[in-house]
């Protein structure tokens, strides 16, 4: 199916002095999202962009771009993510509108660097670490393995199935 563009824009309304963040955000919108400033906003600023795509009525990439935007605001600029509101408009809910709210809490927190090899543990960083009694894998207990999946016992499987059987309620909705 063909991906289609819509009337797409990002509008930013700042509260207080956010000039440093606004300058970096404008660069992000222009260089990363391919946005173009739209003059004439009374409060804040507005950018058009063509990065939001949809296929059919329900398939779109709004969530992926939302995460990239949040990562930039939180990880790069150090703002705190507060809330996200989403509204589906149109006869079939095919028009999306979204509001993201961020708050400045002070200096940017350092984001830990992701290790490329997550399978190796630096055991010297965990002296005297006590493990839960139900952890039984020797390699995990000796910090030679990061994780291990242990199959459930038959009685655990029966208990879980009982929970599923007694709590599941089939609900049909018209909006999905």
């Amino acid at each position: 199916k063909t991906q289609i563009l819509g009337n797409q824009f990002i509008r930013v309304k700042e509260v207080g002095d956010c000039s440093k963040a606004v300058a970096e955000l404008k660069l992000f919108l222009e260089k990363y999202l391919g946005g173009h400033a739209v003059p004439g906003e009374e409060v804040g600023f507005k950018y058009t962009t063509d990065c939001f795509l949809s296929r059919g009525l329900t398939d779109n990439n709004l969530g992926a771009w939302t995460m990239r935007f949040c990562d930039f605001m939180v990880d790069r600029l150090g703002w705190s993510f507060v809330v996200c509101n989403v509204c589906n408009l149109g006869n079939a809910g095919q028009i999306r509108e979204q509001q993201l709210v961020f708050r400045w809490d002070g200096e940017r927190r350092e984001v830990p660097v992701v290790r490329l090899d997550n399978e190796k543990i630096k055991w010297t960083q965990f002296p005297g670490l006590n493990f839960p009694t139900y952890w039984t894998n020797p390699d995990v207990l000796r910090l030679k393995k990061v994780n291990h999946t242990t199959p459930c016992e038959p009685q655990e499987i029966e208990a879980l199935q009982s929970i599923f059987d007694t709590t599941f309620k089939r609900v049909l909705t018209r909006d999905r």
Side-chain angles (χ1 to χ4, degrees):
K1 293 184 179 180
T2 304
Q3 294 188 356
I4 58 171
L5 302 173
N7 182 15
Q8 316 177 35
F9 59 88
I10 297 171
R11 181 180 291 137
V12 176
K13 308 256 183 194
E14 64 265 24
V15 177
D17 180 20
C18 307
S19 54
K20 183 180 178 211
V22 163
E24 292 185 55
L25 178 58
K26 286 181 177 181
L27 285 173
F28 173 77
L29 293 173
E30 291 168 5
K31 294 188 181 214
Y32 192 71
L33 300 182
H36 301 283
V38 176
E41 286 292 296
E42 292 180 27
V43 178
F45 56 92
K46 180 177 176 179
Y47 274 74
T48 62
T49 183
D50 62 359
C51 66
F52 303 113
L53 302 174
S54 66
R55 207 174 311 169
L57 292 177
T58 58
D59 188 17
N60 65 70
N61 66 353
L62 181 62
W65 284 110
T66 298
M67 289 310 303
R68 288 187 180 128
F69 191 88
C70 288
D71 287 345
F72 175 79
M73 291 297 295
V74 173
D75 296 343
R76 179 74 62 87
L77 299 183
W79 287 59
S80 296
F81 176 70
V82 178
V83 69
C84 173
N85 298 312
V86 178
C87 183
N88 295 331
L89 308 167
N91 294 337
Q94 74 278 14
I95 303 170
R96 307 291 194 284
E97 179 179 81
Q98 181 167 282
Q99 175 188 25
L100 301 172
V101 178
F102 297 90
R103 176 185 64 231
W104 176 250
D105 291 326
E107 289 300 314
R108 177 180 159 300
R109 298 176 308 263
E110 285 302 316
V111 177
V113 176
V114 176
R115 290 184 300 157
L116 296 177
D117 186 4
N118 289 329
E119 292 300 314
K120 292 183 181 174
I121 300 173
K122 294 182 181 177
W123 59 270
T124 56
Q125 294 179 344
F126 302 97
L129 179 66
N130 295 320
F131 295 100
T133 56
Y134 53 87
W135 285 21
T136 58
N137 183 273
D139 288 336
V140 172
L141 295 174
R142 288 193 316 263
L143 299 175
K144 300 296 180 193
K145 245 177 120 174
V146 175
N147 58 33
H148 176 78
T149 304
T150 303
C152 291
E153 297 292 329
Q155 64 270 23
E156 294 170 318
I157 294 171
E158 288 175 24
L160 286 171
Q161 188 62 54
S162 174
I163 291 170
F164 293 144
D165 293 343
T166 56
T167 60
F168 176 78
K169 182 177 180 183
R170 184 166 180 79
V171 177
L172 299 176
T173 62
R174 295 174 55 200
D175 62 343
R176 304 219 192 302

